[in-house]
Amino acid sequence: MDASFGEAAFPAVDRVILDMEDRDEGHYLQIGAVLEMEGPVPGLAGVREHVRSRLPFLPLLSLPLTGDVRDGGPDLHRHVRELRVPDRALAYDTLLNVAAPCPARPWGVWLVHGYAEHRFLLCYRGHHGLHDGVSVTRVMRRLFGTVPPRADAGAVPPAPYAPPLPARLAAHARNALESVRLFLPPPRRPLLDGRREGRRVLSAATVPVVRLRAAAADLRCSVLDVHLSALSHAAQRADATGWTRETPRPRGIGLPVALGPSAVPPYRGNRFSVAVVDVPWAEADLRRRAVLFSRSTARYKDPALRWAKGDALRRLDARRTRSVSERIFARCGVQTTVLTHSGEFGFGGCRALGVTGLNCLPAHFPYQAVLTLWRDRATCAFTADAAVPLARELAASWRAAVEELAPATGRPAGLAPAPG
C-alpha cells in the first residue's frame, strides 16, 4: 500500500468515531480547513480538474472506507461543489452545516464566492473517522500547496519510536496512574442543560503569532498553554450551564495527544489519545493560569508517555475504546487542539491570505475550538451549536484574553491584531 496512505494505526478509534454520528445524538464530526483567497474567482470545472490532478498523491481520499476499490473511484461532481453566498460569515456557517457529499468517502471540497469582489474561499472538509486534524494539515498542503506534491512510491515510513525497557515500564506506570481518575465518579451535572439546535455557527479571531509567542516566552511556557488560558477565559464568559464552576470535581479541557511520527505524509485514520487537563479555575490572573497549565501539559511532551498511551490504546477493541472515550468526555467541558500549517497555499495564480480551521462538534460539547498557526497568523475558530448563549462572541473573548496575556514588550511597534 502507498506510504502516503498507510494502515490505520488505531482502527478501533476510527470505528468508534464513525459510529458516533450514526446514533443520531446531534454529533457533527466533520473537520477541515478554509483558505481565504484573493484574486479572480475560478470556475468550478477548474477546481475539479485541480483536485483530480492532486488525488494521486492522496490515496486516503481515493479509497472508500470499506476498502472496496471496485466502484471506480471518487466522483468529483459529487465531491467538489460550489456555494454562492451573499455574506462572509454566512459562508463559514454554511460550510459547517452542508451535508457530506458521499458516505463511502466522507470528504468534500467547496468553492465559495459571491460575498465580495476578488475574494473567495476554498474549503476542504472530511469526517473525523477518516483522518485526524494533523492529517488534515497535510491533506491541505497536497491539495492546495503552491509546491506540487511528489509521489511517495518507495518511501519508507519512519521507524516507530520504541523507548528502552526501563522507560517503557515507567511510562506505562505513569499512564496507568493517570487513567485511574477515569474510574472516579464524574461531575454530576449534565454538560448540556437544555435544547441543542443542531445548527452550527462559527466565530473566529486572528492575532499575530508573535503575540502568542511573546506571551509564551515571557511566561516560560508554550503557545499551547497561552491558548488554553485564553480558551478558559472564553469558557467562563460563555458558560450557561455552570460547568466552569463545578465543584468538587470540576471538568477540565480535553487535549489531543499525538501518537504518530511527525514527518509522515497524510495518513489514514486517527493517531491521537485525549488527555484531560485540569483548569485552575480559582486562579483569576490569566498569566498565572497559563503557567499553571504548563505544569499539566509538560508531561505530554515526553515521547515515552505518548508511546505508552499508544501502546495501551492499540490493545483496546471498539467496545472498550468507546467506554474509555465516554469516561473522558464526561470529564471534559470542551476539547481543543493546535494545528500548524506549513508552506504556501494558492490556486490558479491566486494567493491565500489566511487559513481557518473547522472543528467537529460531538454532542457532549456546546462548542469546540481549534487554533490554526500559519505564517505570521494565529486564528482561533470556535464551532458552536447555535443555541449556545454568546456563541458568536467566543472568539472575541479568546482574543481579549490574548491581549491580557501578551506583554506590551512583545508587541512590535505599529502591529495591530489582524482582522478576525
Side-chain angles (χ1 to χ4, degrees), residues 31-37 50-51 54 57-58 60-61 107-110 121-126 131-149 265-267 339-347 352 354-358 372 374:
I31 58 176
V34 181
L35 301 180
E36 292 269 358
M37 304 295 297
H50 174 86
V51 172
R54 298 292 177 104
F57 308 101
L58 289 163
L60 79 164
L61 303 185
W107 63 269
V109 171
W110 285 266
L121 307 178
L122 287 173
C123 171
Y124 167 78
R125 207 192 69 187
H131 50 47
D132 58 25
V134 172
S135 199
V136 165
T137 66
R138 295 160 190 178
V139 169
M140 287 296 292
R141 189 171 182 180
R142 294 203 170 191
L143 271 178
F144 297 116
T146 55
V147 177
Y267 49 82
L339 299 175
T340 300
H341 288 265
S342 60
E344 295 294 322
F345 295 109
F347 177 81
V355 184
T356 300
L358 301 181
T372 300
W374 178 65

Side-chain angles (χ1 to χ4, degrees), residues 25-304:
E25 295 178 353
H27 290 267
Y28 170 77
L29 296 174
Q30 304 286 323
I31 58 176
V34 181
L35 301 180
E36 292 269 358
M37 304 295 297
E38 181 179 53
V41 177
L44 181 59
V47 178
R48 284 175 174 155
E49 186 55 38
H50 174 86
V51 172
R52 188 185 311 279
S53 70
R54 298 292 177 104
L55 279 181
F57 308 101
L58 289 163
L60 79 164
L61 303 185
S62 297
L63 295 179
L65 290 175
T66 61
D68 186 352
V69 298
R70 294 173 297 177
D71 59 4
D75 177 3
L76 294 187
H77 282 79
R78 296 180 66 187
H79 285 278
V80 183
R81 299 184 174 186
E82 183 176 25
L83 291 173
R84 298 174 185 268
V85 293
D87 177 77
R88 178 176 173 272
L90 177 61
Y92 280 92
D93 290 352
T94 302
L95 289 170
L96 287 177
N97 291 281
V98 65
C102 179
R105 296 183 181 84
W107 63 269
V109 171
W110 285 266
L111 166 66
V112 187
H113 61 94
Y115 60 90
E117 192 172 351
H118 291 288
R119 292 293 179 93
F120 61 98
L121 307 178
L122 287 173
C123 171
Y124 167 78
R125 207 192 69 187
H127 197 289
H128 210 318
L130 176 64
H131 50 47
D132 58 25
V134 172
S135 199
V136 165
T137 66
R138 295 160 190 178
V139 169
M140 287 296 292
R141 189 171 182 180
R142 294 203 170 191
L143 271 178
F144 297 116
T146 55
V147 177
R150 298 180 303 169
D152 295 310
V156 178
Y161 170 77
L165 182 60
R168 290 189 191 189
L169 296 176
H172 270 308
R174 292 168 61 196
N175 186 48
L177 184 62
E178 182 178 310
S179 301
V180 167
R181 64 187 295 187
L182 297 180
F183 294 92
L184 299 175
R188 295 185 179 88
R189 182 187 291 114
L191 183 57
L192 291 176
D193 298 336
R195 179 181 59 87
R196 287 176 70 97
E197 187 168 320
R199 179 176 61 87
R200 292 153 292 276
V201 298
L202 184 133
S203 67
T206 299
V207 300
V209 171
V210 67
R211 295 290 300 278
L212 298 178
R213 290 177 178 162
D218 186 61
L219 298 171
R220 298 185 180 181
C221 63
S222 68
V223 166
L224 169 63
D225 302 317
V226 174
H227 167 59
L228 289 174
S229 183
L231 174 61
S232 68
H233 171 76
Q236 288 177 297
R237 287 264 300 150
D239 183 8
T241 66
W243 73 268
T244 67
R245 301 184 296 276
E246 286 178 337
T247 57
R249 296 184 296 276
R251 298 177 197 265
I253 295 177
L255 186 66
V257 179
L259 301 180
S262 57
V264 296
Y267 49 82
R268 179 90 167 201
N270 293 265
R271 300 183 182 183
F272 72 95
S273 178
V274 177
V276 182
V277 178
D278 292 329
V279 183
W281 299 113
E283 177 55 67
D285 184 279
L286 294 182
R287 288 168 59 80
R288 175 63 181 167
R289 190 180 286 185
V291 174
L292 295 176
F293 269 121
S294 70
R295 298 176 184 176
S296 298
T297 60
R299 72 189 69 156
Y300 302 113
K301 299 175 183 177
D302 180 4

Side-chain angles (χ1 to χ4, degrees), residues 322-385:
R322 183 177 296 106
S323 175
V324 170
S325 173
E326 290 172 350
R327 289 177 180 274
I328 291 173
F329 281 154
R331 290 156 177 81
C332 295
V334 67
Q335 186 173 309
T336 190
T337 188
V338 179
L339 299 175
T340 300
H341 288 265
S342 60
E344 295 294 322
F345 295 109
F347 177 81
C350 300
R351 66 189 185 97
L353 302 177
V355 184
T356 300
L358 301 181
N359 212 339
C360 62
L361 188 60
H364 319 290
F365 301 134
Y367 52 83
Q368 290 222 89
V370 54
L371 178 63
T372 300
L373 307 179
W374 178 65
R375 296 177 62 186
D376 59 348
R377 299 165 61 94
T379 300
C380 186
F382 289 79
T383 298
D385 188 89

